[in-house]
């Protein structure tokens, strides 16, 4: 059923909001440029144009590309581990009371624990290097995703559950073919949140102990450039983080939502 | 032994024997249905009629295996009913009984693949046939959220019929529809039932609906649900607008009012 308040077709409306955001971005860049010129201290705040130049140079030289690739590789590994653990835990919770109580207990205890706080333990257990980073990213992803998925499972309407049970599905089929698609809006929201947490955790972890890592990611790039007082490069690193976040958000999560829950009319 | 809807020397298809259903445990337990016994032969359409709180939906859910039986027994073809299964397909009142992520065709096909173990091609052919029979061939590839309430209920009915269950369970399937659509759906359901000879357990609180779709009407009194009367609906009385239809409606109405008055009196006496 069509939303009566929506007078313009969706693509045109998107286009219009995009146009406004473009103007706002240009104004922000202009303000940045103006203030940085007024300040006249490139060590504290490089101009927008200098940052852009550093960004372009960083990508042209390939340094920012390899840094980003290193970070993303770690991120994807940790994200995948976190998702696998969340899937196992949530399936257990959906199938048994014990599993549900375990999930509630663990998320209540561990969700508020910042992933970076686990870094000293990770270093102790896995040494300096990729496994430690993967461990903290897994922790950052696991709890928000498990929590959101479990909440999604619980919110599946009783009628839909009965309609599924009516077919005599096995427990695993019931989860895979009824509960997961029905809870997809919440699961997608959890995946999005997990991605943001993982990204932040990774950069923070790289900043903390990137110093000793053999080949660092973007966090390490920022850290070394700060030490060398190459502030424009520091800002270029920050811009890269923002860019990657935006690209993943629009390309991955928005199109996943468009292809699934929006098409099925499940969007909340 | 249950009350048979007609004299029959064969084993009943569905038999309810002194069925009692309760909610909750111990002292706080509430009895929803008490001591209901009735038998259905193949092809019977038994309507459970009663005001809210008479436990008619609970009884239907118990037959479906969605709710445990606290005393007595429910048997299908002589065997106690267990977990929910495709031998007892349910159609619910709520519109969200379809899988939103599957199309109309996908919903019926999936049910046939999982519930009847058909391969994709066979399931799809039978699904197309049944969707056509409820008049929805042109929205075959639409997702449920784009359909009206009546269309969604038609899909659910097509899905239930397509699986050719021993027993169809209908829990006020038309209660959330507008009056006109409701009448139309009752007529369509009646004709599908007559074509297929389906055995149906139908729950409603609407008297005209009970007379229209049922072969028999079991009236239940509320708090707890007890059997208050069992009436057969002759085929001649099934036609709306006839004197027989109106008379049966009036009789059932009087019966329902009597059960309510009786309960109120009882409540006053005990309260």
């Amino acid at each position: 059923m069509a939303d009566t308040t929506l007078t313009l077709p969706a693509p045109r409306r998107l286009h219009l909001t995009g146009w406004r955001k473009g103007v706002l971005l240009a104004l922000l860049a202009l303000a940045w440029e103006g203030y940085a010129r007024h300040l006249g201290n490139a060590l504290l705040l490089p101009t927008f144009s200098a940052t852009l130049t550093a960004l372009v140079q960083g990508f042209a030289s390939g340094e920012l590309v390899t840094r980003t690739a290193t970070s993303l590789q770690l991120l994807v590994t940790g994200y995948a581990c976190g998702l696998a653990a969340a899937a196992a835990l949530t399936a257990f919770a959906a199938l048994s009371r014990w599993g549900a109580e375990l999930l509630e207990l663990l998320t209540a205890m561990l969700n508020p624990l910042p992933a970076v706080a686990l870094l000293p333990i990770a270093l102790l257990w896995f040494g300096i290097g990729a496994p430690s980073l993967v461990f903290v990213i897994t922790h950052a992803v696991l709890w928000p995703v498990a929590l959101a998925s479990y909440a999604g499972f619980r919110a599946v309407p009783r009628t839909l559950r009965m309609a599924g049970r009516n077919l005599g599905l096995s427990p695993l089929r019931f989860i895979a073919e009824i509960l997961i698609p029905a809870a997809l809006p919440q699961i997608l929201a959890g995946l999005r949140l997990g991605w943001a947490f993982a990204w932040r955790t990774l950069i923070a972890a790289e900043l903390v102990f990137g110093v000793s890592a053999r080949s660092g990611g973007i966090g390490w790039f920022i850290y070394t450039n700060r030490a060398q007082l190459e502030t424009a490069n520091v800002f270029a690193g920050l811009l890269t983080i923002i860019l990657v976040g935006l690209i993943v958000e629009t390309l991955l999560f928005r199109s996943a939502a468009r292809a699934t829950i929006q098409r099925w009319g499940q969007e909340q | 032994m249950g009350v048979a809807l007609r004299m029959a020397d064969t084993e009943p298809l569905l038999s309810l024997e002194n069925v009692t259903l309760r909610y909750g445990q111990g002292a706080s337990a509430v009895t929803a249905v008490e001591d209901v016994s009735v038998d259905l032969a193949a092809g019977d359409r038994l309507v459970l009629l009663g005001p809210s709180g008479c436990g008619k939906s609970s009884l239907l859910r118990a037959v479906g295996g969605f709710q445990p039986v606290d005393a007595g027994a429910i048997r299908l073809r002589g065997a106690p009913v267990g977990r929910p299964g495709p031998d007892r397909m349910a159609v619910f009142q709520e519109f969200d009984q379809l899988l939103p992520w599957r199309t109309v065709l996908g919903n019926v096909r999936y049910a046939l693949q999982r519930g009847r173990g058909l391969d994709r091609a066979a399931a799809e052919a039978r699904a197309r046939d049944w969707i056509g029979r409820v008049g929805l061939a042109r929205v075959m590839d639409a997702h449920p959220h784009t359909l009206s309430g009546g269309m969604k209920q038609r899909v659910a009915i097509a899905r239930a019929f397509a699986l050719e269950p021993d027993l169809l369970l209908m829990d006020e399937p038309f209660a959330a529809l507008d009056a006109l659509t409701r009448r139309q759906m009752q007529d369509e359901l009646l004709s599908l039932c007559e074509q297929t000879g389906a055995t149906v357990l139908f729950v409603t609180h609407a008297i005209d609906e009970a007379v229209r779709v049922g072969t028999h009407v079991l009236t239940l009194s509320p708090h707890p649900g007890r059997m208050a009367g069992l009436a057969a609906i002759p085929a001649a009385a099934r036609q709306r607008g006839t004197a027989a239809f109106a008379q049966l409606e009036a009789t059932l109405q009087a019966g329902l009012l009597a059960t309510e008055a009786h309960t109120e009196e009882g409540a006053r006496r005990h309260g």
Side-chain angles (χ1 to χ4, degrees):
Chain A
M1 255 137 280
D3 184 350
T4 47
T5 58
L6 195 126
T7 46
L8 288 171
R12 181 125 182 257
R13 231 171 51 132
L14 270 182
H15 176 74
L16 282 181
T17 50
W19 173 79
R20 275 198 202 92
K21 279 188 183 136
V23 170
L24 288 173
L25 268 179
L27 284 175
L28 283 175
L30 215 67
W32 176 357
E33 182 76 27
Y35 183 66
R37 276 174 194 269
H38 166 76
L39 201 65
N41 187 346
L43 282 184
L44 279 182
L45 180 68
T47 60
F48 175 66
S49 49
T51 303
L52 219 56
T53 314
L55 185 70
V56 171
Q57 273 172 0
F59 273 100
S61 71
E63 195 192 357
L64 265 177
V65 179
T66 46
R67 297 293 188 201
T68 309
T70 309
S71 285
L72 279 178
Q73 201 188 345
L74 278 172
L75 190 64
V76 169
T77 314
Y79 196 64
C81 290
L83 289 197
L89 204 59
T90 324
F92 184 39
L95 289 177
S96 86
R97 270 238 139 281
W98 281 94
E101 304 260 338
L102 178 70
L103 180 69
E104 276 165 27
L105 192 68
L106 285 179
T107 47
M109 280 181 354
L110 297 175
N111 196 32
L113 190 63
V116 184
L118 283 180
L119 208 51
I121 304 282
L123 292 175
L124 213 58
W125 287 351
F126 302 105
I128 292 161
S132 290
L133 283 173
V134 169
F135 175 76
V136 290
I137 295 170
T138 303
H139 170 84
V141 172
L142 170 56
W143 308 113
V145 173
L147 208 58
S149 311
Y150 182 60
F153 283 2
R154 289 175 55 124
V156 175
R158 197 170 81 124
T159 322
L160 196 62
R161 285 171 180 275
M162 290 206 284
R165 287 173 62 200
N166 206 170
L167 299 174
L169 300 175
S170 67
L172 280 181
R173 277 222 162 119
F174 184 70
I175 291 178
E177 296 176 358
I178 305 288
L179 287 187
I180 289 180
L184 204 60
Q186 288 94 330
I187 294 177
L188 266 183
L191 290 179
R192 224 156 153 167
L193 196 63
W195 176 265
F197 280 10
W199 195 213
R200 285 175 204 190
T201 301
L202 172 65
I203 301 296
E206 280 184 349
L207 280 171
V208 170
F209 86 126
V211 194
S212 354
R214 275 180 294 114
S215 57
I218 302 184
W220 172 230
F221 175 84
I222 292 173
Y223 186 89
T224 47
N225 277 292
R226 188 204 61 94
Q228 293 158 10
L229 298 179
E230 294 280 356
T231 315
N233 279 345
V234 172
F235 274 80
L238 293 177
L239 272 187
T240 311
I241 293 172
I242 293 175
L243 281 177
V244 172
L246 277 180
I247 289 170
V248 170
E249 169 71 23
T250 48
L251 285 191
L252 214 72
F253 289 112
R254 290 233 184 109
S255 34
R258 251 201 311 278
T260 55
I261 55 177
Q262 285 184 13
R263 197 155 70 92
W264 305 337
Q266 272 176 301
E267 203 175 37
Q268 291 146 321
Chain B
M1 195 60 211
V3 182
L5 298 186
R6 71 172 67 88
M7 297 301 285
D9 39 24
T10 52
E11 194 184 30
L13 181 78
L14 176 75
S15 113
L16 276 67
E17 204 180 304
N18 308 107
V19 173
T20 295
L21 306 174
R22 288 191 194 93
Y23 285 101
Q25 299 279 313
S28 64
V30 177
T31 305
V33 172
E34 197 169 71
D35 204 22
V36 169
S37 299
V38 68
D39 287 352
L40 268 83
D44 282 343
R45 298 190 297 277
L46 177 67
V47 177
L48 301 176
L49 177 70
S52 48
C54 73
K56 53 195 190 297
S57 288
S58 304
L59 202 54
L60 178 131
R61 280 199 294 272
V63 174
F66 298 108
Q67 187 174 325
V69 177
D70 292 282
I74 301 177
R75 293 194 184 83
L76 186 69
R77 295 190 188 286
V81 297
R83 301 150 61 88
D87 54 343
R88 289 152 285 148
M89 279 301 288
V91 177
F92 302 101
Q93 176 185 341
E94 293 83 0
F95 296 152
D96 57 8
Q97 59 191 304
L98 302 176
L99 310 179
W101 55 94
R102 290 187 185 273
T103 60
V104 167
L105 178 62
N107 262 286
V108 182
R109 186 189 60 212
Y110 172 76
L112 280 164
Q113 283 176 280
R114 291 289 177 260
R116 278 285 162 260
L118 298 184
D119 64 48
R120 199 186 159 93
E124 180 150 337
R126 206 201 281 187
R128 281 184 184 282
D129 176 44
W130 271 101
I131 294 164
R133 288 175 77 167
V134 296
L136 291 182
R138 70 203 153 77
V139 292
M140 203 74 86
D141 297 314
H143 281 94
H145 75 104
T146 63
L147 305 180
S148 68
M151 288 160 107
K152 284 181 198 169
Q153 295 309 80
R154 278 197 180 90
V155 179
I157 287 172
R159 174 173 70 181
F161 269 98
L163 267 80
E164 293 174 358
D166 291 333
L167 184 65
L168 275 169
L169 304 173
M170 306 207 143
D171 190 3
E172 306 203 43
F174 311 139
L177 300 174
D178 64 87
L180 204 68
T181 315
R182 187 157 56 221
R183 277 187 162 213
Q184 208 179 332
M185 300 278 295
Q186 289 162 2
D187 297 350
E188 289 175 22
L189 176 68
L190 186 62
S191 105
L192 284 178
C193 288
E194 282 170 351
Q195 285 165 33
T196 55
T199 313
V200 184
L201 191 63
F202 193 106
V203 163
T204 187
H205 62 263
I207 299 169
D208 62 323
E209 186 164 83
V211 178
R212 182 72 183 135
V213 302
T215 58
H216 299 79
V217 177
L218 176 62
T219 310
L220 295 167
S221 66
H223 309 297
R226 288 202 189 92
M227 294 174 65
L230 183 62
I233 310 286
R238 220 162 279 146
Q239 207 57 44
R240 269 194 219 99
T242 61
F245 187 95
Q247 202 189 341
L248 252 173
E249 219 180 336
T251 314
L252 285 171
Q253 171 111 43
L256 268 184
L257 286 176
T259 68
E260 296 202 42
H262 176 79
T263 0
E264 262 170 38
E265 196 182 290
R268 256 200 311 277
R269 230 184 6 247
H270 291 120

